[in-house]
Amino acid sequence: MPIQFQGRVAIVTGAGGGLGREHALALAARGAKVVVNDLAAADAVVEQIRAAGGQAIASAASVTNFDAVRAMVEQAMAAWGRVDILVNNAGVLRDKSFGKMDLADFSLVMDVHLMGAVHCCKAVWEIMRQQQFGRIVMTTSSSGLYGNFGQANYGAAKMALVGLMQTLAIEGEKAGIRVNSLAPTAHTQMTEGLMPEAVLQAFKPAAVTPGLLYLVSEDAPTRTILCAGAGTFERAYVTMTKGVHLGTGPDAAEQVAQAFEAISDRAHGEIVPSSGAAQTQNELARAARLG
Ligand SMILES: NC(=O)c1ccc[n+]([C@@H]2O[C@H](COP(=O)([O-])OP(=O)(O)OC[C@H]3O[C@@H](n4cnc5c(N)ncnc54)[C@H](O)[C@@H]3O)[C@@H](O)[C@H]2O)c1
């Protein structure tokens, strides 16, 4: 079944260029009405969508400004009466090794990525709840999931978005709101100079967008982390091993050291918890059985 967005209204932040632009164009090409948000350059993308026969409006709201974000959502509501899809994509980098990093640069990156997404989610949440339909995507990163030299601020913000997704997916479930994360790899102004020339074409932003389209579709999953780049799609998980019950004796610390390999064992009983309660339940069950 082709993925279509007729009748759906989407907001894509940071869509003046790079990945966001590609997402906005693809959503519009498949029938969505799109709010193209960016600090600048949103108008050109809107023009492109309209020239192709689609519907779009521009918003220059900074995602860091909650009032401006609310006004953007009101703009969408006034034009089209609903908001079905939110793609939190806006982002900046301020790379430096942690020792040399200013706290101001740490805060700025947290503000744009994390608080920017929080503002947008907050502004559409009640609308989506009342519609009993919503699709939200957080743009995370391998730098957050796995770390990357020089990106303590960016990595922390990107992993925080996964944390935001985990709980919003749980809280949104009954209201038909599905929340996912996308970890892209693409050649954009953000990654300028970081990729070898030979692979630039393969890493075009358009190679990531199919993953985004699935994550905001009718049949979207929820609470997933999809990785995408150069046409390859992977899935990342936050998992928990079965663990070892060691009790609370005076030598428990030494036992932890001794059992560390068994504690770390992924081959037997590792799970993807469906909520944070899974850890408590596992610990309770093991303590009850062995206590
Ligand atoms: N390119 C990659 O390989 C890669 C890898 C992992 C994650 N990401 C993430 O993907 C997203 C898109 O990045 P990109 O590579 O297309 O880079 P990009 O720089 O082309 O796009 C980011 C856009 O966000 C906009 N923006 C910045 N601050 C904003 C604000 N306060 N309000 C509204 N818009 C704002 C910028 O103007 C820019 O157009 C980002 O969240 C980025 O962290 C990209």
Side-chain angles (χ1 to χ4, degrees):
M1 275 284 281
I3 293 177
Q4 290 294 340
F5 298 101
Q6 262 82 23
R8 298 290 180 204
V9 174
I11 297 175
V12 186
T13 68
L19 287 157
R21 176 174 172 275
E22 216 54 55
H23 298 336
L25 293 174
L27 284 164
R30 287 170 185 256
K33 304 177 183 98
V34 184
V35 177
V36 179
N37 162 267
D38 208 311
L39 300 173
D43 288 331
V45 179
V46 166
E47 284 316 311
Q48 196 176 340
I49 290 172
R50 288 184 182 156
Q55 294 187 62
I57 50 179
S59 155
S62 170
V63 293
T64 58
N65 179 338
F66 187 47
D67 287 339
V69 166
R70 272 197 302 210
M72 168 177 75
V73 171
E74 277 162 22
Q75 201 186 340
M77 291 299 284
W80 298 315
R82 52 190 298 125
V83 177
D84 301 287
I85 295 165
L86 168 64
V87 182
N88 288 304
N89 169 81
V92 290
L93 289 181
R94 290 292 183 277
D95 291 5
K96 254 184 199 149
S97 61
F98 188 59
K100 295 183 181 143
M101 189 180 282
D102 288 340
L103 286 181
D105 274 347
F106 206 107
S107 298
L108 174 82
V109 168
M110 292 297 286
D111 238 28
V112 174
H113 291 273
L114 176 59
M115 290 315 295
V118 169
H119 292 154
C120 293
C121 290
K122 185 74 180 162
V124 302
W125 193 253
E126 201 46 41
I127 294 168
M128 288 183 173
R129 255 175 36 81
Q130 282 183 9
Q131 288 170 179
Q132 292 286 297
F133 184 94
R135 299 285 182 266
I136 297 175
V137 168
M138 314 292 178
T139 307
T140 183
S141 167
S142 55
S143 298
L145 297 169
Y146 313 116
N148 199 19
F149 194 95
Q151 296 198 314
N153 50 5
Y154 180 75
K158 287 308 204 186
M159 198 57 179
L161 289 169
V162 175
L164 180 63
M165 171 200 77
Q166 300 280 20
T167 289
L168 291 191
I170 291 168
E171 293 187 5
E173 193 178 353
K174 281 207 178 73
I177 304 174
R178 300 185 193 169
V179 190
N180 294 287
S181 296
L182 179 68
T185 318
H187 171 57
T188 65
Q189 64 167 13
M190 191 174 272
T191 52
E192 194 66 57
L194 297 180
M195 287 182 184
E197 280 290 325
V199 302
L200 292 188
Q201 176 55 21
F203 281 96
K204 60 188 179 200
V208 168
T209 296
L212 181 277
L213 294 179
Y214 172 59
L215 292 182
V216 299
S217 67
E218 294 293 317
D219 297 329
T222 194
R223 221 171 147 261
T224 72
I225 307 165
L226 182 68
C227 311
T232 294
F233 301 87
E234 306 98 328
R235 206 170 149 183
Y237 293 93
V238 181
T239 69
M240 186 176 73
T241 63
K242 191 171 175 203
V244 179
H245 179 81
L246 297 171
T248 56
D251 65 339
E254 288 72 21
Q255 286 197 50
V256 171
Q258 211 180 355
F260 199 60
E261 207 172 305
I263 292 169
S264 309
D265 174 28
R266 305 192 59 199
H268 305 97
E270 183 178 55
I271 60 164
V272 180
S274 57
S275 84
Q279 183 182 333
T280 321
Q281 279 160 7
N282 183 50
E283 290 161 356
L284 202 60
R286 310 292 298 276
R289 211 176 310 140
L290 298 163

